[in-house]
Amino acid sequence: MVSKLKILIIDDSSIGRIAVKQALRQAEFELTELESAEPFFRYPNQYKDVDLLIIDISLPGMDGLTALEKIRAEEQWPNLPVIVLTSRSDPESVGRALRAHANDYIVKPFSGKVLLSKVHRTLEYKRQNWPDPEMVLQTSNEIKRAERGGTSLSALGVRMLNPRDHLSNPWDIHNLREQLRMRLREIDTVYCNGRDILVLLPFTDGSGAEIVAQKIREILFPEIKMIIAAYPAHGRNAQQLLYNLKQKLYPAE
């Protein structure tokens, strides 16, 4: 089954939620909706895989900007993209949203095309922000384990070659991630960011990682590019290791 990007809509107005869903229906996202922000924090495991949050400012109980500030203050969602919905376009309201690190905002009533464009742009920004803080954290943790145990660690960067428009078909990379997880060891980490995938292979040197890469290339995905970086040869910390991967995955960027 193909995985789709997950978007959570939080708006106490059923009309508002319907308007958002109608704007995004052609893009085939997986849409979930809430009438208030409290359940998002009360049941975080239900929403840990959300790829984008669209939230209204004027919510009962915890308002949208308070929720946004809380999201940015917690470690569980360090890089969750957020688009704020507002019925006010005054500089104070917009400024508060941006100071709370909203990725974008849109004023009600809105054009469906404008909202869809903002969603695509926000998801593209997330892809370009590579490596993001969560990716660095996971890599750093694995490097610390390898350093303490004196063991090998390899990182495998995966990029789709000549993909279909990944903004209108964004689920391809998520399906690729799930296929990889099914074929790797439980100790391996598969992290997806936009259309790129990072695979961390503990106890695996460069030669072992090349064997894994070749199997993936031959059996599963012929139209991908894979780059291997081994610790410590290609970087003694997470930033160096991931930078080397990115330079080889996107040499022109």
Side-chain angles (χ1 to χ4, degrees):
M1 180 180 295
V2 175
S3 299
K4 302 178 182 179
L5 285 178
K6 299 177 181 179
I7 296 179
L8 174 62
I9 306 161
I10 304 181
D11 193 334
D12 62 313
S13 166
S14 60
I15 295 176
R17 297 195 303 273
I18 290 172
V20 173
K21 289 188 291 185
Q22 287 180 338
L24 303 180
R25 68 184 186 278
Q26 297 298 329
E28 298 189 37
F29 296 111
E30 181 178 330
L31 303 177
T32 306
E33 55 187 287
L34 292 172
E35 296 181 3
S36 64
E38 283 82 359
F40 180 78
F41 299 101
R42 190 177 302 128
Y43 309 106
N45 288 337
Q46 293 185 20
Y47 306 104
K48 63 182 180 180
D49 294 329
V50 168
D51 295 290
L52 172 67
L53 172 63
I54 300 175
I55 187 169
D56 185 49
I57 284 182
S58 302
L59 293 173
M62 183 186 301
D63 66 67
L65 290 182
T66 300
L68 174 57
E69 291 167 352
K70 185 175 176 64
I71 287 170
R72 294 301 185 230
E74 296 192 3
E75 295 182 355
Q76 184 160 353
W77 300 284
N79 202 44
L80 176 64
V82 178
I83 295 177
V84 169
L85 301 174
T86 177
S87 57
R88 298 175 294 180
S89 59
D90 60 281
E92 182 178 351
S93 298
V94 173
R96 186 183 170 197
L98 296 178
R99 286 193 299 272
H101 301 292
N103 295 81
D104 209 336
Y105 71 94
I106 189 166
V107 179
K108 297 179 178 180
F110 52 80
S111 159
K113 290 183 178 180
V114 172
L115 176 59
L116 184 59
S117 175
K118 287 178 177 286
V119 166
H120 284 170
R121 184 170 61 193
T122 300
L123 291 172
E124 172 68 0
Y125 172 79
K126 180 182 179 182
R127 183 197 71 79
Q128 292 177 345
N129 187 25
W130 199 101
D132 64 29
E134 185 176 349
M135 189 182 291
V136 173
L137 177 61
Q138 292 193 28
T139 305
S140 180
N141 288 338
E142 289 297 339
I143 286 178
K144 289 177 182 177
R145 293 189 185 97
E147 187 175 20
R148 286 196 302 266
T151 58
S152 301
L153 171 68
S154 290
L156 183 63
V158 183
R159 174 190 179 187
M160 297 182 74
L161 294 178
N162 302 317
R164 300 193 303 271
D165 181 1
H166 66 282
L167 293 179
S168 60
N169 296 280
W171 55 87
D172 288 345
I173 196 68
H174 287 261
N175 186 49
L176 176 58
R177 175 188 61 187
E178 296 307 315
Q179 294 294 322
L180 282 171
R181 281 177 173 168
M182 289 190 295
R183 288 162 174 80
L184 294 174
R185 303 168 300 178
E186 290 187 6
I187 62 172
D188 298 330
T189 299
V190 181
Y191 179 76
C192 176
N193 180 23
R195 70 181 179 187
D196 306 313
I197 285 179
L198 172 69
V199 181
L200 297 175
L201 303 168
F203 307 102
T204 306
D205 59 16
S207 299
E210 182 57 46
I211 294 173
V212 174
Q214 187 61 30
K215 287 181 179 179
I216 293 173
R217 187 178 292 111
E218 291 177 352
I219 299 173
L220 298 177
F221 314 109
E223 295 186 2
I224 60 175
K225 178 178 182 179
M226 286 186 286
I227 298 297
I228 296 170
Y231 165 81
H234 300 110
R236 301 196 65 86
N237 58 48
Q239 288 84 355
Q240 291 175 354
L241 199 67
L242 295 174
Y243 178 79
N244 284 331
L245 276 180
K246 182 178 182 180
Q247 289 298 101
K248 294 176 182 178
L249 281 175
Y250 294 94
E253 295 183 7

